[in-house]
Amino acid sequence: MTNTKASQTGRTAGMKKKVLIVGCGIAGPATALFLKRAGFDPVIFEARKAPDDQAGFFLNIAANGLDVLRTLGLEDPILEQGFLCEQMTMWNQGGKRLGDVPNGSRGRCGIIIKRGVLHRVIREEAIRQGVPVRFGKKLEGIQVNEGGRVTARFADGTEDRGDLLVGCDGIHSRTRRILFPDSPQPTYTGMVGFGGFAHHSSIPPTSGTMHMIFGKQAFFGYLVKPSGDIYWFNNVAFPREPSREELNTVTHEKWRRRLLDWHRVDPSPVQEIIRSTKGDIGVFPIHDIPYQATWYEGPVVLIGDAAHATSPHAGQGASMALEDGIVLVKCLRDIPCSKKAFAMYQALRKERVGKLVRMARKNGQNKMVSDPVRMWFRDQMMRVAFKFFVNERAIDWIYSYRVDWEETVEEIHSR
């Protein structure tokens, strides 16, 4: 059932408005589905020439992100493809358990899923509902025309015009660079991330848990599915930011040897997992965007990593993008003036995402302690934190966040 008040507002405000969406990752097609539901006419433009559902590795969709997917009717297909993750269990470099961190609250937990699978499920649903997805459309320029409409120009010489443009094109957003050329650029966090998939028949399944090891030189996380398939990642300090070209010149076998060296004294099964990795090893510098003063200008607005990229250390990047999408469309649905709708969207989102970006960076800094004395103090502090402060009640603000599609923005403010 659709809320009468909300549907009437959508018909009035959005019936004939065409929305250009730049980016077909997670935020783009999810936002398009909400726009379609609210009576808008979304079109998605993706720089890649074709879908690549093998791109990337895996990510956490937390309970708050799953709630948005449930609103779209996509929770079940996502759950079928993912690994339920109820908690993260933390270990120190000596194999001693430091504590558990819930991956949810109020009876709801998150899932670990391959990034490409998540992209495919949301994209295919958008296409099924009639949202055009145009590949090979690398954004080249944006022009606001008389009357406030917007034209997007692409590198292949084509262009398209709409009433609004939503930039969902990630941390290195071309939309953001065009819109705010002097805005803060992504900041390197001092770490490089690695990831891969392995298979090992004798390592026990991790049963709803992802294990995280504060190693002597690097941080390592893994889960083992009942099939023996293993998802793993590593974070290691690189004081100087390496270029993509530098990283690409190192073969996967050389990275494997370096990973084994970084974790040579760390507890089992880290070495076994690295040795069992036969496919590609992903490698990427870790960035975030600490502060972006404004997320919109005229008929153009940013969402997800394009507006407020967070490092992966809080497991909230995908969920924040999904939350952005539903909140933005609710504002556009309920507020006829797009400028006021964008301002409301930013006001509703900025404090929450800013807090999560800061939390993620702090979590990352704790991973990179290597001095023995500091490691001892960190372990003691973490044991106390896990016992008294990092519990379901303390982190409920992260996971219990819910956006009711049927509730109008006016009703939110009248509470």
Side-chain angles (χ1 to χ4, degrees):
M1 293 291 291
T2 302
N3 179 283
T4 302
K5 185 188 300 184
S7 63
Q8 288 175 346
T9 305
R11 284 194 296 269
T12 301
M15 185 175 176
K16 295 182 180 179
K17 284 189 176 180
K18 180 178 178 181
V19 184
L20 312 181
I21 297 176
V22 178
C24 191
I26 297 169
T31 302
L33 285 166
F34 283 117
L35 286 164
K36 189 85 173 176
R37 184 179 295 190
F40 292 79
D41 181 20
V43 183
I44 300 174
F45 300 89
E46 168 57 44
R48 291 174 299 173
K49 294 183 179 180
D52 183 1
D53 296 334
Q54 303 304 314
F57 285 86
F58 61 92
L59 51 78
N60 178 57
I61 308 178
N64 46 305
L66 281 176
D67 186 72
V68 181
L69 293 171
R70 189 186 314 117
T71 303
L72 288 172
L74 292 175
E75 183 182 31
D76 287 345
I78 293 297
L79 289 174
E80 288 172 6
Q81 300 283 342
F83 177 92
L84 279 174
C85 183
E86 299 171 347
Q87 65 180 13
M88 282 76 73
T89 296
M90 306 294 179
W91 306 83
N92 74 2
Q93 70 282 355
K96 293 183 179 179
R97 187 171 181 155
L98 299 173
D100 300 322
V101 180
N103 189 32
S105 65
R106 305 188 190 189
R108 296 277 294 166
C109 70
I111 67 165
I112 308 297
I113 190 169
K114 291 183 177 179
R115 180 180 290 274
V117 171
L118 177 61
H119 286 189
R120 175 178 54 77
V121 170
I122 306 176
R123 181 188 72 245
E124 288 183 351
E125 180 61 19
I127 293 171
R128 190 189 71 80
Q129 293 193 26
V131 177
V133 179
R134 298 174 183 168
F135 290 94
K137 298 295 181 182
K138 182 179 179 181
L139 186 66
E140 188 78 15
I142 297 172
Q143 179 181 341
V144 178
N145 313 308
E146 291 184 17
R149 299 194 81 209
V150 59
T151 296
R153 292 184 289 103
F154 303 100
D156 64 358
T158 63
E159 61 181 40
D160 208 330
R161 179 177 294 187
D163 296 285
L164 304 171
L165 187 148
V166 183
C168 311
D169 45 348
I171 187 169
H172 300 291
S173 168
R174 176 68 176 163
T175 309
R176 184 183 65 245
R177 292 199 300 271
I178 294 170
L179 197 64
F180 303 115
D182 298 324
S183 66
Q185 295 303 302
T187 301
Y188 177 57
T189 62
M191 279 177 280
V192 170
F194 295 79
F197 301 107
H199 184 87
H200 201 297
S201 58
S202 61
I203 299 176
T206 53
S207 183
T209 300
M210 189 155 198
H211 293 277
M212 310 282 202
I213 300 167
F214 290 87
K216 191 170 183 180
Q217 295 186 65
F219 186 87
F220 193 87
Y222 72 95
L223 63 84
V224 185
K225 300 176 74 173
S227 63
D229 291 333
I230 302 170
Y231 296 8
W232 65 266
F233 73 92
N234 156 288
N235 298 149
V236 65
F238 269 62
R240 180 186 64 82
E241 180 178 3
S243 68
R244 174 49 57 187
E245 290 72 22
E246 286 180 79
L247 297 175
N248 288 342
T249 59
V250 181
T251 66
H252 297 298
E253 185 54 39
K254 285 183 179 179
W255 283 131
R256 186 178 289 103
R257 291 199 294 268
R258 290 190 190 182
L259 285 159
L260 287 168
D261 183 59
W262 289 326
H263 293 287
R264 64 184 179 275
V265 298
D266 293 337
S268 178
V270 176
Q271 292 256 335
E272 295 97 313
I273 291 172
I274 296 169
R275 288 195 176 96
S276 299
T277 303
K278 303 303 181 187
D280 292 350
I281 294 175
V283 53
F284 52 92
I286 298 175
H287 298 84
D288 62 18
I289 299 179
Y291 183 75
Q292 171 84 14
T294 305
W295 299 350
Y296 65 93
E297 178 70 34
V300 183
V301 64
L302 305 172
I303 73 171
D305 282 355
H308 51 71
T310 178
S311 57
H313 311 301
Q316 280 287 324
S319 297
M320 291 294 98
L322 291 166
E323 286 182 5
D324 278 0
I326 188 172
V327 172
L328 171 65
V329 178
K330 275 169 61 76
C331 292
L332 289 169
R333 179 195 69 189
D334 297 345
I335 302 172
C337 172
S338 60
K339 182 178 180 179
K340 292 180 179 179
F342 290 164
M344 179 61 70
Y345 150 71
Q346 180 172 303
L348 291 172
R349 297 293 297 153
K350 200 154 194 179
E351 181 179 354
R352 174 172 170 79
V353 299
K355 189 174 180 180
L356 278 161
V357 169
R358 293 189 295 272
M359 185 184 82
R361 179 168 275 237
K362 184 176 180 181
N363 290 348
Q365 291 168 348
N366 287 333
K367 293 179 179 180
M368 294 299 105
V369 176
S370 58
D371 175 79
V373 175
R374 291 181 64 202
M375 290 171 76
W376 183 87
F377 276 108
R378 180 201 62 200
D379 290 354
Q380 305 314 306
M381 292 177 65
M382 290 185 75
R383 286 191 178 99
V384 173
F386 291 145
K387 187 173 182 179
F388 297 105
F389 304 110
V390 183
N391 51 49
E392 190 171 309
R393 182 178 179 182
I395 60 179
D396 184 65
W397 68 273
I398 301 174
Y399 299 112
S400 66
Y401 182 87
R402 297 288 181 271
V403 182
D404 183 353
W405 174 255
E406 307 298 347
E407 185 179 38
T408 67
V409 172
E410 182 181 312
E411 288 169 336
I412 294 173
H413 277 265
S414 66
R415 288 203 302 259

